[in-house]
Amino acid sequence: MSSGVRELSRRVLNRTLLERQLLARRVPRTPLEAIEHLVAMQAQMPNGPYVGLWARLENFRPDDLTSLLEGRDVVHATMLRRTQHLARGEDFGWLWPTVASIVRKALTDAYYAEQIEGIDLDELARVGRRLLAGKPLHRRELGRLLADRFPGRTPGRLAEAVELLEASVHPPPHCTWGRWGHRSGTPLALADEWLGHPLADAPQPETMVLRYLAAFGPAGVMDIQAWSGLTRLREVVEGLRPKLRSFRDEQGSELFDLPDAPLGEPDRPAPVRLLPAFDNAVLGHRDRTRVISEENRRRITPRASAGVPLFLLDGFVEGTWALTGDRLHIAPFRPLSDSETAAVQDEAAQLLRFVAPDNTEPTITLT
């Protein structure tokens, strides 16, 4: 590696991340364009993707995303890191085969092992596919039918195992805009039937790496692996090296990027943004210090498994927020100045107007 490789400061990486994640300003893109650019949006929490798009797009309305889900342009499914995401239907066609190995590896976890021990997984997949053919089923219904074929096993585990073995999606009304925090039963449909076309017949890790860098770069191999859940991507990145440019971060780690992708200006002001739990911008790298300090990361780690909505101040995570009814509570990690408080409260008021446009007396508390 040449000694002339440019070193990127943490603020340059931060401002670049804001630009790539559409958080430096609200942009005039369509929701479909935004989801395509982001590759996939974390969607574990029912209303999370709606808030994530609201934070990024001009004039976004909940119906804009709901119509994409109902029209099958966007799908909700288990994919990256074995977690639930939204992706453009066309992208799911190559994304699922690319991450299927790590998704299916979940079957080796203790959570599943006892319930599927001794079952021929190919047969389980065939039976599950036959039951789902032509009609979506809720997990509980699929599990009940599978338990008839594989008695003595927990129905829910059987249904979840089929979901890991066969490319499937969660059709509406799952993950459509509704009562805040509401969860309902999860429906399943075969992905190729739902989309109306077969999925790619082979993984496309090169496509995944290039698309990731467009939305998250510059980034290292370990960052790509942390985001995708896949391992052993060094060889893939090395194969792409002639098409990429490289940098170093302040610790000397090598970062890769697309050759023509712009870098952010370190002194550019950054707006306050309220992000949903598990937002891409916070979970997109192994080294997350470009958006959250280690000290602040440790503050939320005990609660992270349940999902913690966060807010950005000057581009970095500086606190959490929570919505209960018509009350939005802001909890900063440090004392805020008067101007910072005003900026956070203004963005919070905008979020309340988005979530409950007919509420004339929303309440914002800050501690």
Side-chain angles (χ1 to χ4, degrees), residues 15-331:
R15 289 325 195 239
T16 303
L17 178 65
L18 297 182
E19 291 283 353
R20 305 279 178 96
Q21 284 292 302
L22 314 180
L23 291 168
R25 72 197 68 80
R26 285 186 169 88
V27 297
R29 298 195 188 194
T30 67
L32 187 61
E33 290 170 340
I35 293 169
E36 180 180 17
H37 170 73
L38 297 170
V39 189
M41 290 191 71
Q42 193 93 11
Q44 287 169 261
M45 307 304 285
N47 293 325
Y50 290 85
V51 176
L53 289 170
W54 166 82
R56 290 168 165 87
L57 304 181
E58 291 181 355
N59 304 316
F60 173 72
R61 301 173 304 165
D63 286 349
D64 296 337
L65 176 54
T66 299
S67 64
L68 292 175
L69 288 161
E70 292 174 344
R72 309 189 186 192
D73 300 289
V74 169
V75 296
H76 183 276
T78 299
M79 47 186 112
L80 298 164
R81 300 187 304 279
R82 305 178 193 167
T83 57
Q84 296 180 17
H85 284 72
L86 296 185
R88 187 177 182 185
E90 293 181 12
D91 286 333
F92 186 76
W94 62 263
L95 190 55
W96 165 261
T98 304
V99 301
S101 62
I102 190 65
V103 172
R104 289 168 177 155
K105 194 174 180 180
L107 292 171
T108 63
D109 294 347
Y111 180 80
Y112 293 102
E114 180 180 351
Q115 293 301 319
I116 64 173
E117 183 179 3
I119 292 180
D120 183 326
L121 295 184
D122 289 338
E123 182 183 6
L124 177 60
R126 284 194 298 271
V127 173
R129 185 172 182 86
R130 185 174 68 248
L131 292 171
L132 288 169
K135 59 182 183 305
L137 296 173
H138 277 77
R139 275 184 188 153
R140 60 179 177 273
E141 184 178 2
L142 175 62
R144 178 179 57 78
L145 295 173
L146 288 168
D148 291 338
R149 176 64 181 78
F150 302 96
R153 313 298 175 116
T154 301
R157 295 288 193 279
L158 293 175
E160 291 168 1
V162 167
E163 185 178 351
L164 298 175
L165 291 166
E166 285 289 325
S168 57
V169 301
H170 308 140
H174 191 74
C175 202
T176 53
W177 185 253
R179 182 163 54 86
W180 191 262
H182 176 67
R183 289 179 179 272
S184 58
T186 302
L188 299 175
L190 296 173
D192 53 353
E193 288 190 351
W194 184 256
L195 293 171
H197 58 74
L199 277 59
D201 56 9
Q204 297 182 19
E206 294 84 2
T207 298
M208 184 189 72
V209 169
L210 295 174
R211 292 283 299 277
Y212 168 84
L213 291 176
F216 295 88
V221 174
M222 299 301 288
D223 294 318
I224 306 170
Q225 293 183 165
W227 167 80
S228 66
L230 297 174
T231 58
R232 301 179 181 178
L233 291 178
R234 170 68 63 180
E235 184 177 349
V236 175
V237 175
E238 288 296 335
L240 290 169
R241 184 182 286 274
K243 300 179 180 180
L244 304 175
R245 57 176 172 169
S246 62
F247 302 97
R248 295 280 178 183
D249 64 17
E250 293 176 336
Q251 290 70 48
S253 299
E254 187 174 23
L255 307 176
F256 296 92
D257 202 7
L258 302 181
D260 56 352
L263 298 175
E265 295 294 332
D267 297 327
R268 180 167 184 162
V272 172
R273 286 291 179 262
L274 274 66
L275 302 179
F278 306 115
D279 191 83
N280 295 33
V282 182
L283 297 185
H285 302 82
R286 183 185 184 187
D287 179 1
R288 299 173 185 171
T289 56
R290 69 182 68 196
V291 68
I292 183 170
S293 69
E294 280 299 306
E295 178 183 3
N296 286 341
R297 186 186 64 79
R298 287 192 293 269
R299 291 174 186 267
I300 66 171
T301 296
R303 295 175 288 164
S305 61
V308 183
L310 304 168
F311 71 84
L312 303 181
L313 186 59
D314 190 30
F316 291 87
V317 173
E318 290 292 355
T320 67
W321 61 272
L323 181 65
T324 305
D326 60 355
R327 182 181 296 273
L328 198 156
H329 179 68
I330 305 290

